[in-house]
Amino acid sequence: MNTTVLLLTVLTAFVVTAALGFPLIPFLRRLKFGQTILDIGPSWHKKKQGTPTMGGIMFVIGATIAIVAGFLGLSMGGAAGGGRGNLKLFSGIVMALAFGAVGFLDDYIKVVKKQNLGLTARQKYLMQLIIAVFYLTMLWLAGDRSSIVIIPFIGQWNLGLLYYPFAVIVITGFVNAVNLTDGIDGLASSVTFVYALCFVVIAGLLGAAQAGVIAAALAGGVLGFLVWNFYPAKVFMGDTGSLFLGGLVVALAFDVGIPLLLVLAGVIYWCEAFSVILQVISFKTTGKRIFKMSPIHHHFELSGWSEIKIVTVFSLVTLAGSLLAILAVFRI
């Protein structure tokens, strides 16, 4: 893999994203695109009321520009792959942008139309379902037609026709899990930064140069966003950013051909999602809550952890899961 291309991709994504904060954050503030803090959250979050949201536009632009630049760098070095490989690369980008567009629509309804709930859950999931089906169709056209799923440290499982329903559930599930992880300053950005670095390494091990470019762009983009989003955040990513991140997170796992690496490197994402599911099931069946509040980062927050401590611990857990994912690739 071309190390120079990867470094330039990271740098491009970081610089563009961080630089966009200077004009975009004041612009969002002038438009009064501020975050509405719901009463159901921790009471001290009320001080964040009015912090500009939809800032994910910064790394959507930064990462996309960096991916295109990285691809051009690979092309000049003769490592860009063939037509089908290019189709697989750009279908992942289109999927992430499409998820980001759904998030933008949701944010727009919440912030501009002043409807706090945004899109309904049914509307949002239907759009996500269509995007997931489109992405899988593009992978099929790119020649990725295997129904075999690699289960890290265990073996392989041929799902046959069940592969596509399984893939749709994985895609939409993890995209929404990344969305749930975006709940306190810097959390989704920091966890995703570690995840992206993990896939830079995995792409190198597997010789997947194009996936390496996407991972490098993702790492640089969220790092540039952290300049503005780390505690105390000057801007929030909104669903615009978190759903775009979810799209790239999923695309990386599918690009390297091992979707279930998401279970290891994306451990925090699914823990956040399952904490919500368990909380709902418990409350509806017993009337009792398992956690003080879900997603689980709010449980730790209400238990006295600072936002910085939560971000640090969750990032370290992601690092541990990422090291397991890298070890799993070595064993394949």
Side-chain angles (χ1 to χ4, degrees):
M1 189 180 296
N2 193 317
T3 305
T4 302
V5 170
L6 291 183
L7 290 174
L8 289 175
T9 301
V10 170
L11 185 62
T12 299
F14 173 79
V15 170
V16 172
T17 302
L20 281 173
F22 290 101
L24 184 62
I25 294 173
F27 177 69
L28 292 173
R29 192 174 286 116
R30 286 196 301 271
L31 292 178
K32 300 187 184 301
F33 280 15
Q35 180 73 39
T36 299
I37 305 299
L38 302 179
D39 292 333
I40 59 174
S43 59
W44 52 89
H45 279 203
K46 279 294 183 180
K47 65 183 180 182
K48 302 181 182 185
Q49 183 87 18
T51 300
T53 188
M54 301 173 73
I57 293 170
M58 293 156 56
F59 58 72
V60 170
I61 295 172
T64 303
I65 290 174
I67 289 170
V68 173
F71 173 75
L72 292 175
L74 290 179
S75 297
M76 288 188 289
R84 288 187 173 182
N86 296 343
L87 178 60
K88 190 173 181 179
L89 168 72
F90 285 105
S91 61
I93 301 170
V94 171
M95 176 179 66
L97 289 171
F99 279 126
V102 173
F104 179 86
L105 179 60
D106 193 38
D107 285 336
Y108 182 84
I109 293 172
K110 291 176 185 175
V111 176
V112 180
K113 297 297 183 180
K114 307 300 180 183
Q115 299 175 21
N116 286 345
L117 296 179
L119 294 169
T120 66
R122 183 174 296 181
Q123 289 171 333
K124 190 182 294 187
Y125 191 75
L126 178 60
M127 293 179 188
Q128 293 174 344
L129 188 64
I130 292 170
I131 295 168
V133 170
F134 164 80
Y135 176 64
L136 291 171
T137 301
M138 291 299 102
L139 292 186
W140 189 86
L141 292 174
D144 190 352
R145 301 175 184 179
S146 174
S147 60
I148 296 175
V149 175
I150 297 173
I151 305 173
F153 298 113
I154 296 177
Q156 297 182 348
W157 187 17
N158 192 335
L159 292 178
L161 293 177
L162 292 176
Y163 174 80
Y164 291 100
F166 161 81
V168 167
I169 292 171
V170 169
I171 292 170
T172 57
F174 269 91
V175 166
N176 285 301
V178 174
N179 179 236
L180 289 171
T181 305
D182 178 38
I184 59 176
D185 298 2
L187 180 58
S189 304
S190 298
V191 167
T192 302
F193 174 69
V194 178
Y195 177 94
L197 290 182
C198 167
F199 272 86
V200 170
V201 175
I202 288 173
L205 292 174
L206 297 176
Q210 294 176 328
V213 164
I214 294 177
L218 179 58
V222 291
L223 188 61
F225 187 67
L226 274 169
V227 171
W228 304 99
N229 183 239
F230 195 75
Y231 182 86
K234 298 176 179 63
V235 67
F236 299 138
M237 66 176 67
D239 284 2
T240 304
S242 60
L243 292 181
F244 173 81
L245 289 187
L248 283 189
V249 161
V250 166
L252 282 172
F254 277 83
D255 277 355
V256 300
I258 316 174
L260 289 185
L261 286 177
L262 283 161
V263 176
L264 298 175
V267 56
I268 287 298
Y269 301 136
W270 64 259
C271 282
E272 294 273 21
F274 269 98
S275 71
V276 174
I277 294 170
L278 291 173
Q279 186 87 322
V280 171
I281 292 173
S282 177
F283 188 74
K284 287 190 173 182
T285 57
T286 69
K288 297 180 180 179
R289 292 180 171 86
I290 299 174
F291 308 104
K292 294 181 178 180
M293 185 177 177
S294 65
I296 199 169
H297 58 259
H298 286 317
H299 170 81
F300 288 109
E301 196 175 7
L302 291 173
S303 297
W305 288 27
S306 69
E307 293 190 42
I308 292 176
K309 181 177 180 180
I310 294 169
V311 169
T312 301
V313 172
F314 280 34
S315 297
L316 289 174
V317 171
T318 302
L319 177 60
S322 295
L323 292 175
L324 283 175
I326 292 168
L327 179 60
V329 171
F330 267 115
R331 292 172 61 92
I332 292 175

